[in-house]
Amino acid sequence: MSSAHSPTFPRFQLGKQLRELREKARLTTEDVGLQLDCSPSTISRMEGGKVGIRRSTLERLLEIYEVTDQEQIDTLVVLARQGKTRGWFARYGDLPASYSRYIGLESSAVEMRDYEALVVPGMLQTEEYTRALLAASASTAESDETGEAHVKARRERQNLLTREEQPLQLIAVLDESVIRRSIGGVDVMRSQLKHLADMGRARNVTVQILPFSGGAYAGMAGSFAILKFQDAPSVVYAEAMTGDIYPAADDVQRYADVFENLRAAALSPLESIKMIEDSAN
């Protein structure tokens, strides 16, 4: 499947290892920038997995960090090569940078824990619901082709839930306002709610609703998603005006704790499906 091939995950892996090597060498980004004749922010972008790294640049970094283990060097070279490929999502137009990096990482995840305060998670949206959201948020400069490209990109992302080999495990906690807010009109919303209930019965999908009756709860500041990988640390994507990705262990643990508190406060999966179906009628 095309969405399984993304340069984002190798970039993150490479950046993490380069940061560890720099810290082991007791060098700052300023120190390395001076030796590479680039800015400290460029080093930070490399370490954050935001850009691909040329082999010549990687080899120079490994010289600076005095890395001599050939097996480690070969591994990093492979990651750099994989990180220079073109992401599957590139053909769908210019997506926001942090969002592109997020869906690139999503392709390699084995589990997603998603809290949504306002809208149905992208993984569980119908095409009509997605179009209604895009129509409501689109600027006048956006064309119909751009909107349709975004719809197709989201549909391809959803294939992660139904792929034959290790489908993505999704645990979604939604504020009750998500199923009460009518988006796209009565028919679109009814279809979306029925789809949400159906997906909530899938073996690899869990949907839970946080009821209004529960009052205030942790996580009301905004939506976020935690991505878990087979052989790499988890990351968090927190939505703000632009969204950002947080790979630090402390950040991930903090969001993981909030998510577990949200799950504990939410209705059970069966109760949640019943509420969703009642809302659709």
Side-chain angles (χ1 to χ4, degrees), residues 14 23 26 51 56 67 114 130 137 140 145 155-156 169 191 238 244 252:
L14 176 61
E23 292 173 347
R26 298 181 181 275
V51 294
S56 59
V67 179
D114 192 353
T130 299
S137 61
T140 54
E145 288 184 2
R155 185 171 62 222
E156 184 156 356
Q169 300 292 314
S191 176
D244 208 351
V252 173

Side-chain angles (χ1 to χ4, degrees), residues 37-48:
D37 193 24
C38 66
S39 67
S41 63
T42 297
I43 304 301
S44 295
R45 285 172 60 79
M46 291 179 187
E47 294 181 354

Side-chain angles (χ1 to χ4, degrees), residues 111-131:
E111 179 188 273
M112 177 193 299
R113 286 171 283 173
D114 192 353
Y115 165 65
E116 292 291 341
L118 297 174
V119 299
V120 172
M123 281 289 183
L124 302 175
Q125 291 176 11
T126 63
E127 290 187 23
E128 294 77 12
Y129 184 93
T130 299
R131 288 191 179 93

Side-chain angles (χ1 to χ4, degrees), residues 5 13 21 28-30 43 53 97 99 101 124 128 139 150 152 171-173 179 181 187 190 193 204 207 254:
H5 304 289
Q13 288 288 80
L21 289 171
T28 66
T29 55
E30 289 80 3
I43 304 301
I53 302 176
Y99 180 66
R101 287 192 294 128
L124 302 175
E128 294 77 12
S139 68
H150 285 206
K152 290 179 180 178
I171 305 172
V173 177
I179 64 173
R181 179 176 292 104
D187 291 340
R190 181 181 293 114
L193 292 174
N204 58 314
V207 177
R254 178 163 54 88

Side-chain angles (χ1 to χ4, degrees), residues 67-114:
V67 179
T68 57
D69 185 292
Q70 191 58 49
E71 184 176 349
Q72 184 179 21
I73 292 172
D74 291 344
T75 298
L76 296 177
V77 167
V78 169
L79 288 175
R81 183 170 64 248
Q82 293 174 341
K84 291 289 287 182
T85 60
R86 190 169 182 262
W88 65 267
F89 40 83
R91 65 178 177 271
Y92 293 116
D94 295 327
L95 301 173
S98 60
Y99 180 66
S100 295
R101 287 192 294 128
Y102 168 71
I103 62 176
L105 287 171
E106 184 182 77
S107 301
S108 300
V110 296
E111 179 188 273
M112 177 193 299
R113 286 171 283 173
D114 192 353

